[in-house]
Amino acid sequence: MFGRFLKPRWQHAKPEIRLKAIEQLDHSNDADLLHQLARGDASALVRAAATAKLTDFAALDEVHQRDETPSVREAASMRIMSLLAGTTDDSPNSDTRLRLIRLTDNQDVLAHVAAHSPDMHSRMAALERLSDEAVLYQLALDAPTQALRVACVQNISSLSLLKRLAKHGRDKRVTRLARDQARELQQQQQQTERETVKVYHLADRLEQHARRRVDALYGPQLEQLEQQWRQLSPQASADIASRIQQALHQCRNQLTESQEQTRQQALAETAKAEREAAAHTLFQLLSQATPETWDHHLGEMRSALATQRRRWNSADEHAQALDQDRMAFNDLVTAFEQLLTLATDINAADSQETLTELAARWPKEYQPPSALLALRTRKKDDTAETAEPERAKPAQPHRGLLVALKRELRQGNLRHANRLWHRAQTIIDTHNDDALSAELSKLAARRAELQDWHRFAAEPKKVALCEQMEALDGTTMDAPELATAIQALHDEWRSLMSSDQDEDQSLWARFKEASDKAYQPCRAHFAELDAIKASNLEKRQTLCQQLDNFITVQNWEKADWHGVWQIRQQAPKDWKALHPIRFTDARDIQKRFSALLAQLDEQLNGYIEKAENERKQLLDQARALMELDDTQQATREAQAIQKRWRQSAWLPPAQHRALQKQFRKTMDALFDARNRDMAAHRKRQEQAGQTLATHISALEDCLAQPFTDDSADNLSRASAAVDEHLGGELPQPLVRKAQQLKRRASERLQQLSRWQQWQQLRNAVAGLPETAGNEESDDALTLAVAFEALAGVPSPELERQRRLQWQLEQLPGAMKRQQFDAREEMQRLLADHALPVSTAIKARLHHAIAVLEPGNA
């Protein structure tokens, strides 16, 4: 019965009692109870109060995630912030807070910790995790310590915020750091922009390359572009990367197709060369066949025929030959077979008659078998005269040799003299020429004297050369320098040689052995150099072949002349880069390369001359426009010429710049003349506008004046002046205003006759006689109400009946007339009324007339 009075206060029905009970609860002893109240109490205030005393982060996170009331969720968030910041007595220890701060990504919590935590380590940990740059900027301005402000600046990556900090920072270190980071970030952005521009430029170049015709430089240029893409790919967006990959795929496919075509063409050329070689071999076998061949080697000839036929057929399978080439080869094979058959028959012939018959069938251009030769020899005319040729008087066939030998001996040139002496000795041994031997005997003493002298003078020098050559063994000189030194010693040795091998052999063996040892380190170097030269020669041959193929397959009517020009510019550079090369090997390939460049130059020069003529014609047309007086027409035609100039054929930069400079100068002169005329026209237009505005102002003043005879004259003159200055090109608003004022003036001037009629009516009313008293006659009252009815103005209350009666009697008749005018009706009424009227009546009449004044409504 008393249980309800014994319940704990936190279970009380009233929320305010539960709130007071929560104040008495302890966060450590009553943690479960606080969690229960924070999660399930019916009152939001109670849940918020319980949440504000929780210390369990899991429970606080549950309340923050699940509670439906914003104030409770806010209380949970604030409690988490306070606990992590260490601003409450029940906060976790420093290590726990640091661990939790490094785990959370809640920017509000991190911002609160960084701004309010009394622990510097917690603040720095929160700053490391904080990514909200607006909060970092504010902390960089307001943080209590310089270390915190510097840490905030270091975490900011927004250029605008860094620039603001550089201006509004609290201390020099913050502003300097912000300025340095802003400068570095700006440089990074500029670098990124430059790389982005390079990526877009690379995409354009690749797409242009994909549209180019494949030539000798297509593959190397594609490799360069791919290398650039590998370097720039990290900076490319998905769209531009897709563009570049698509262009690369297209380029590779195009290059593969071109290589396949080149391979097929090479196969065709190889097959053609094989067919030509087979035909040439057969033709050579026939041309070089001797009687012995036809007598004893027919089997070998048949085997050769079969081999060359197989060679031809194999090449023909790879690439079909032309019909005329096939027919020529078949004719050659047929002739070969016929000769083999004929030679077989000749060798087997057993009678003179058969040989005679076969000899008639043998072709005269080929040597016949021996049997036919014997037959032809027997048929020769034995009675032919055989005159013995006149014997020439023996001459001295070696006089020149003797003269040269004597000259060399006389001049003391033992080396050349020994060479000539050995030649003469050979002639004596071969032909047993006694005369020449006698001459040599006369010269032997002089030769021996020179040999003795040479042996005395040259031998010490040769010994010194041997010692110098031996000293080169093991030297530290590099290979080219060492080879130069060895070559110099060899040159000196040759200058000392006497052409007498017996005398020079002993020292020469020593010199040669030392030379071989000293040259050993140079062998690897020059072997490598020879390999490089051979490789460069091969590359030059490849370059020539590529140029030759390019020139051969190029359609010069539809050539990409820009690409041709680029190839012409790049080819010599590539040629020079293929260096060194052996001079003797380079001569023939250099001639071929120069010839190919000459062919390119011939095509390019023809195209350039044609394109230059086209540009010069356009330039002449542009210059002719300067003679026109109508600058507007000249400008329009110049714009058309500019369009044609932009669409004209491509020219190399040098020719383009020269013509472009002249063309731009001409265009500038034309447009400057147009601009001067336009400025003068605008000035005239402004002056005309100012004049027209003055007359419009005068017309407005005339329209504002009361309508009189004098004002009508002024209005007419002002309207005429405006009309006079409306000609030419004027601002449209001013023209519209002038036309509107002219219409108003015209309408007003059209009412001049009516105004004059109104003035006469007004004067007639003013001329009516007046009565002396105030009594009104019925006629006068009727006249007044008639005027008021005609003018449409109200009549006095007492006169309404009279006015109605007059309207019913008089007005219908007047309305039936074709042209009814109130002023004319008033004049008629005045003409019928001759009686005097009172001043009041006259005033009523004037009031009615004033309403009808034309032009002043």
Side-chain angles (χ1 to χ4, degrees):
M1 171 179 173
F2 298 102
R4 60 187 182 90
F5 298 107
L6 299 177
K7 287 183 179 180
R9 296 183 67 190
W10 56 269
Q11 292 182 347
H12 201 279
K14 293 182 178 182
E16 57 270 18
I17 303 299
R18 297 201 298 275
L19 280 174
K20 292 181 180 179
I22 289 175
E23 295 176 359
Q24 304 299 323
L25 295 178
D26 182 68
H27 64 84
S28 57
N29 298 324
D30 302 317
D32 294 339
L33 180 57
L34 288 171
H35 186 198
Q36 178 182 349
L37 291 172
R39 185 174 56 182
D41 196 274
S43 173
L45 292 175
V46 175
R47 295 200 303 276
T51 300
K53 300 198 72 173
L54 288 175
T55 58
D56 186 358
F57 285 96
L60 287 170
D61 186 65
E62 179 183 0
V63 174
H64 183 267
Q65 297 292 334
R66 297 185 180 181
D67 200 282
E68 298 177 355
T69 305
S71 60
V72 178
R73 295 197 300 271
E74 181 67 20
S77 178
M78 294 302 297
R79 180 62 173 168
I80 293 173
M81 293 179 186
S82 300
L83 291 174
L84 287 179
T87 56
T88 61
D89 296 337
D90 50 1
S91 299
N93 57 42
S94 177
D95 294 339
T96 303
R97 292 201 310 274
L98 287 174
R99 180 175 56 82
L100 294 174
I101 289 170
R102 293 190 178 102
L103 292 175
T104 184
D105 290 325
N106 191 316
Q107 295 297 304
D108 294 334
V109 172
L110 293 172
H112 180 84
V113 174
H116 300 94
S117 177
D119 182 14
M120 179 61 68
H121 297 291
S122 298
R123 284 193 172 195
M124 297 299 290
L127 286 178
E128 292 176 0
R129 301 282 295 170
L130 188 60
S131 60
D132 189 340
E133 297 199 348
V135 176
L136 288 171
Y137 170 76
Q138 198 61 40
L139 289 173
L141 292 176
D142 302 334
T145 65
Q146 188 184 66
L148 287 173
R149 294 194 295 271
V150 169
C152 292
V153 174
Q154 291 174 344
N155 290 337
I156 294 176
S157 60
S158 171
L159 182 60
S160 59
L161 292 179
L162 288 172
K163 288 183 177 180
R164 288 169 59 187
L165 274 176
K167 292 181 179 180
H168 306 298
R170 286 177 56 180
D171 48 50
K172 292 183 178 179
R173 185 179 179 188
V174 170
T175 56
R176 184 174 62 253
L177 180 61
R179 185 166 54 251
D180 294 342
Q181 286 188 210
R183 185 186 304 111
E184 182 178 357
L185 183 60
Q186 195 165 12
Q187 292 175 354
Q188 291 177 357
Q189 291 179 355
Q190 292 174 353
Q191 179 66 22
T192 302
E193 291 175 358
R194 287 193 294 268
E195 291 178 350
T196 302
V197 170
K198 289 182 180 179
V199 170
Y200 277 95
H201 181 61
L202 178 61
D204 294 338
R205 289 185 61 191
L206 277 169
E207 290 173 348
Q208 293 176 1
H209 198 69
R211 294 190 293 268
R212 272 189 56 196
R213 182 188 300 275
V214 178
D215 52 24
L217 301 179
Y218 191 91
Q221 290 180 356
L222 179 59
E223 291 181 1
Q224 294 178 358
L225 294 174
E226 287 180 334
Q227 184 177 2
Q228 294 177 17
W229 167 239
R230 286 192 292 270
Q231 296 174 355
L232 297 175
S233 57
Q235 286 75 33
S237 61
D239 295 338
I240 197 68
S242 177
R243 279 181 56 193
I244 290 178
Q245 290 296 343
Q246 184 176 0
L248 282 174
H249 180 69
Q250 186 175 353
C251 289
R252 294 189 187 105
N253 288 343
Q254 192 169 350
L255 182 60
T256 302
E257 293 176 0
S258 176
Q259 291 174 346
E260 179 62 23
Q261 292 176 0
T262 303
R263 190 182 69 83
Q264 294 295 335
Q265 183 179 1
L267 288 176
E269 292 177 355
T270 302
K272 180 179 179 182
E274 284 291 302
R275 292 194 300 269
E276 292 177 351
H280 178 72
T281 300
L282 290 181
F283 183 79
Q284 193 173 17
L285 286 173
L286 290 178
S287 301
Q288 297 178 357
T290 61
E292 183 181 0
T293 303
W294 300 117
D295 293 342
H296 306 291
H297 302 291
L298 290 180
E300 297 175 2
M301 294 286 281
R302 289 190 181 91
S303 177
L305 174 62
T307 301
Q308 299 308 317
R309 290 184 68 174
R310 287 194 300 272
R311 185 179 182 184
W312 168 277
N313 294 332
S314 176
D316 193 45
E317 290 177 359
H318 289 89
Q320 293 292 325
L322 298 176
D323 293 340
Q324 57 187 8
D325 293 341
R326 184 177 289 103
M327 292 177 60
F329 183 75
N330 291 335
D331 293 343
L332 179 60
V333 170
T334 302
F336 203 109
E337 291 175 343
Q338 290 176 353
L339 284 176
L340 289 175
T341 303
L342 189 58
T344 303
D345 294 341
I346 291 173
N347 293 333
D350 53 357
S351 64
Q352 188 74 16
E353 292 77 5
T354 304
L355 282 176
T356 303
E357 180 183 355
L358 293 175
R361 293 164 53 189
W362 188 268
K364 295 181 180 180
E365 59 268 22
Y366 302 118
Q367 292 192 30
S370 300
L372 292 185
L373 285 177
L375 179 63
R376 291 176 183 177
T377 301
R378 286 193 298 271
K379 289 183 178 181
K380 286 182 180 180
D381 189 5
D382 295 335
T383 62
E385 295 181 359
T386 55
E388 183 180 358
E390 184 180 358
R391 295 183 177 274
K393 184 178 180 179
Q396 296 180 356
H398 308 298
R399 181 173 180 80
L401 178 62
L402 287 173
V403 171
L405 177 58
K406 292 177 181 180
R407 182 180 66 248
E408 297 297 333
L409 289 174
R410 184 172 61 252
Q411 295 177 354
N413 192 349
L414 179 61
R415 182 180 179 183
H416 291 168
N418 278 337
R419 187 178 295 113
L420 296 174
W421 186 281
H422 293 317
R423 186 185 304 172
Q425 194 67 44
T426 302
I427 294 173
I428 294 172
D429 295 340
T430 304
H431 302 286
N432 196 19
D433 193 333
D434 296 335
L436 182 59
S437 178
E439 293 292 337
L440 288 183
S441 298
K442 297 177 183 179
L443 300 175
R446 175 59 180 168
R447 177 172 176 261
E449 180 182 358
L450 288 177
Q451 285 178 337
D452 293 340
W453 173 251
H454 182 271
R455 188 179 301 107
F456 173 77
E459 186 171 354
K461 295 181 180 179
K462 290 182 179 181
V463 172
L465 288 177
C466 291
E467 293 173 352
Q468 294 177 21
M469 185 65 75
E470 290 168 350
L472 291 179
D473 187 16
T475 184
T476 58
M477 290 189 294
D478 56 9
E481 185 180 1
L482 179 59
T484 302
I486 294 173
Q487 183 64 39
L489 293 178
H490 273 276
D491 292 339
E492 291 186 31
W493 181 275
R494 278 193 293 272
S495 67
L496 299 175
M497 287 179 64
S498 64
S499 297
D500 193 337
Q501 297 297 326
D502 295 336
E503 297 180 1
D504 294 335
Q505 188 61 38
S506 59
L507 287 176
W508 168 249
R510 177 184 173 187
F511 182 80
K512 183 66 170 61
E513 182 181 0
S515 174
D516 292 341
K517 290 182 180 180
Y519 189 77
Q520 194 64 32
C522 302
R523 297 186 185 278
H525 169 76
F526 286 104
E528 181 180 357
L529 187 60
D530 290 341
I532 294 174
K533 290 180 179 180
S535 176
N536 289 336
L537 176 63
E538 184 178 354
K539 291 178 181 178
R540 284 192 175 187
Q541 291 172 344
T542 303
L543 181 58
C544 285
Q545 187 61 43
Q546 290 175 345
L547 276 177
D548 195 1
N549 294 339
F550 172 76
I551 295 172
T552 302
V553 304
Q554 185 64 243
N555 184 0
W556 296 110
E557 298 296 328
K558 300 179 180 179
D560 178 10
W561 292 105
H562 185 199
V564 173
W565 179 81
Q566 286 181 323
I567 291 174
R568 178 59 182 86
Q569 299 298 312
Q570 187 63 34
K573 298 178 183 177
D574 294 346
W575 182 269
K576 291 180 180 178
L578 299 174
H579 184 79
I581 190 169
R582 188 176 289 106
F583 175 75
T584 55
D585 295 338
R587 284 179 295 191
D588 294 338
I589 196 68
Q590 181 67 49
K591 292 179 181 178
R592 183 186 179 192
F593 183 72
S594 299
L596 291 171
L597 290 184
Q599 294 181 39
L600 272 182
D601 289 338
E602 182 181 359
Q603 298 294 339
L604 269 173
N605 292 336
Y607 164 78
I608 292 172
E609 182 180 359
K610 182 178 178 182
E612 279 185 331
N613 291 335
E614 180 184 354
R615 296 279 186 100
K616 289 178 180 178
Q617 290 177 2
L618 292 174
L619 185 58
D620 293 339
Q621 294 175 13
R623 288 170 175 167
L625 295 178
M626 300 180 68
E627 305 298 330
L628 296 179
D629 295 332
D630 188 352
T631 57
Q632 294 295 331
Q633 179 184 358
T635 303
R636 288 192 296 271
E637 294 184 11
Q639 290 173 344
I641 292 176
Q642 277 183 323
K643 183 177 181 181
R644 290 163 56 194
W645 183 274
R646 288 191 295 270
Q647 296 173 351
S648 60
W650 174 87
L651 272 177
Q655 291 84 347
H656 170 75
R657 282 194 295 267
L659 293 175
Q660 182 69 23
K661 184 177 180 180
Q662 301 178 39
F663 184 75
R664 183 180 299 153
K665 183 178 180 180
T666 304
M667 290 292 108
D668 290 344
L670 286 171
F671 286 106
D672 287 344
R674 191 274 307 269
N675 293 336
R676 289 193 297 271
D677 289 349
M678 291 179 64
H681 175 72
R682 283 195 298 269
K683 186 175 181 180
R684 292 194 299 271
Q685 190 178 33
E686 291 175 359
Q687 294 175 351
Q690 294 174 358
T691 304
L692 179 61
T694 302
H695 289 291
I696 287 176
S697 178
L699 182 58
E700 288 179 328
D701 293 341
C702 291
L703 287 172
Q705 295 175 1
F707 198 61
T708 63
D709 288 337
D710 293 337
S711 65
D713 293 339
N714 294 334
L715 182 62
S716 178
R717 287 193 295 273
S719 178
V722 170
D723 187 59
E724 180 182 355
H725 291 86
L726 270 178
E729 296 182 4
L730 294 167
Q732 289 301 316
L734 200 62
V735 172
R736 286 194 294 270
K737 184 177 181 180
Q739 291 174 347
Q740 291 173 359
L741 293 176
K742 279 183 59 183
R743 283 196 299 270
R744 287 177 57 191
S746 178
E747 292 172 357
R748 192 165 186 179
L749 289 172
Q750 288 175 1
Q751 296 178 359
L752 179 60
S753 60
R754 297 176 64 192
W755 183 84
Q756 292 173 346
Q757 182 185 9
W758 174 83
Q759 189 67 26
Q760 293 174 2
L761 179 61
R762 183 182 178 191
N763 293 337
V765 170
L768 286 175
E770 296 184 9
T771 60
N774 292 325
E775 295 182 1
E776 307 289 351
S777 63
D778 291 338
D779 291 339
L781 292 172
T782 302
L783 181 61
V785 297
F787 269 57
E788 290 169 346
L790 291 170
V793 299
S795 299
E797 188 68 27
L798 297 176
E799 300 297 330
R800 287 186 178 181
Q801 186 64 32
R802 188 186 299 278
R803 175 174 175 169
L804 180 60
Q805 183 179 356
W806 181 86
Q807 287 177 338
L808 292 175
E809 292 177 356
Q810 301 295 332
L811 194 55
M815 295 293 290
K816 291 179 181 179
R817 290 192 289 274
Q818 292 182 354
Q819 294 182 352
F820 175 77
D821 188 88
R823 285 177 288 271
E824 292 178 358
E825 188 64 24
M826 288 180 179
Q827 287 178 348
R828 188 183 63 77
L829 292 175
L830 285 175
D832 294 341
H833 185 83
L835 299 176
V837 296
S838 64
T839 304
I841 293 298
K842 186 178 283 190
R844 289 173 63 185
L845 294 176
H846 277 297
H847 181 263
I849 291 172
V851 175
L852 297 178
E853 180 182 2
N856 291 331

